[in-house]
Amino acid sequence: MIPAQFDYEVAESVDHAVSLLGQHADAKLLAGGHSLLPLMKLRLAAPAMLIDIGRLDDLKGVSGDGDALAIGALTCHADVAGDALIQQHCGVLADAAAQIGDAQVRHCGTIGGSVAHADPASDLPTVLLALDAELVATGPNGERTIPIGEFFQGFFESALADDEILTQIRVPKHDGHGGAYLKFHQRSQDWAIVGAAAVVSSSNGSIDTAKIALTNMAETPVRASAVEAALMGASHGAIASAAASAADGTEPPDDTFASADYRRHLAPVIVRRAVEAALAG
């Protein structure tokens, strides 16, 4: 398929991109393009203007920021997967990034693009939700910080205003925690039918903290709050019974890849395996 006709501008800075967004009512930002361009080819998205922000190098890279890591929104998945700071302090994020698509996708797709696209089948939004990340958006009135739990508003909908750009992802360091992201898919490069991110800490054979998030179990990434509550203070032997409530309160899609009932059946299995992997890691 060929996209509908559109105009194209290259942003020279974040402020320039924000200005261009303000000038064009029907504009979309283009970073890696691996989320937006397929939709345009299918005519599911037809922006009148594409604003290319892919050359803004100041939005790339990872740095330590006190108790958190600051990840530029244009950092590609391959760089997230290979970054030493992320591997040391938030290993689950590096592991999840390494599972995305193929090498071409990982070298072109960006963490900010994945988050801003707000696809409930994406991997990194789920992991960032389990890590309690914060998102920095820049608009005509300056910067604002959005807790990730407030960012995803619905299917492909986020809290970003039309004239804002996601510029940075701040992830608390999770030293002393184990983490794992597991997903079930038909082929290695497919979207997750169901995925689960688990970030846990444990001592003396019992679980001290547990943060669990789910992929493709609702219109947004969601926390498995019933599982989290059941795991707090529980022994490792209680993981299976706690994971049984993984689908509680979710509204999984019913599509050509899997039925909603199948996803409800699958979620406890993936959650149990993710928690076990996090504790073993």
Side-chain angles (χ1 to χ4, degrees):
M1 294 287 290
I2 298 174
Q5 184 174 352
F6 58 88
D7 293 325
Y8 174 82
E9 290 270 6
V10 176
E12 299 175 357
S13 66
V14 171
D15 289 342
H16 184 210
V18 170
S19 176
L20 288 171
L21 284 173
Q23 295 171 30
H24 302 279
D26 189 13
K28 290 288 187 181
L29 297 173
L30 177 67
H34 280 270
S35 296
L36 177 60
L37 293 182
L39 292 181
M40 292 176 62
K41 290 180 179 180
L42 293 171
R43 300 293 179 101
L44 297 175
M49 166 71 73
L50 286 187
I51 301 169
D52 189 344
I53 60 172
R55 306 176 198 186
L56 303 183
D57 290 341
D58 55 335
L59 298 186
K60 301 176 183 179
V62 182
S63 62
D65 186 12
D67 294 331
L69 299 180
I71 306 172
L74 293 185
T75 306
C76 70
H77 303 317
D79 288 343
V80 171
D83 185 82
L85 283 174
I86 296 177
Q87 292 173 350
Q88 177 182 356
H89 299 292
C90 302
V92 62
L93 181 58
D95 291 343
Q99 299 180 45
I100 296 174
D102 57 18
Q104 181 179 7
V105 171
R106 291 192 292 274
H107 281 86
C108 293
T110 64
I111 185 172
S114 178
V115 172
H117 194 54
D119 186 342
S122 291
D123 303 314
L124 297 189
T126 298
V127 177
L128 292 170
L129 181 62
L131 289 168
D132 290 326
E134 292 183 331
L135 308 175
V136 179
T138 301
N141 297 318
E143 287 188 352
R144 67 183 179 113
T145 301
I146 309 168
I148 196 164
E150 301 173 10
F151 184 79
F152 302 108
Q153 303 287 303
F155 189 62
F156 291 107
E157 295 180 354
S158 77
L160 281 176
D162 291 339
D163 55 358
E164 285 185 318
I165 298 175
L166 178 62
T167 52
Q168 189 180 86
I169 297 93
R170 294 176 180 165
V171 187
K173 295 177 181 178
H174 279 73
D175 300 337
H177 290 71
Y181 180 70
L182 300 181
K183 58 182 176 179
F184 180 81
H185 45 191
Q186 293 174 324
R187 299 170 301 178
S188 62
Q189 298 176 19
D190 286 345
W191 298 103
I193 291 176
V194 173
V199 179
V200 298
S201 64
S202 176
S203 62
N204 301 318
S206 64
I207 297 172
D208 299 322
T209 62
K211 294 183 284 189
I212 316 294
L214 300 171
T215 303
N216 222 359
M217 286 296 290
E219 289 190 342
T220 68
V222 290
R223 290 282 283 264
S225 55
V227 179
E228 294 175 342
L231 286 174
M232 292 291 290
S235 69
H236 293 189
I239 294 173
S241 60
S245 59
D248 289 4
T250 63
E251 297 182 3
D254 197 335
D255 54 33
T256 56
F257 298 103
S259 68
D261 285 342
Y262 182 67
R263 287 185 164 95
R264 293 187 187 96
H265 168 77
L266 191 59
V269 178
I270 301 298
V271 166
R272 174 180 60 79
R273 293 178 180 177
V275 174
E276 290 173 347
L279 289 170

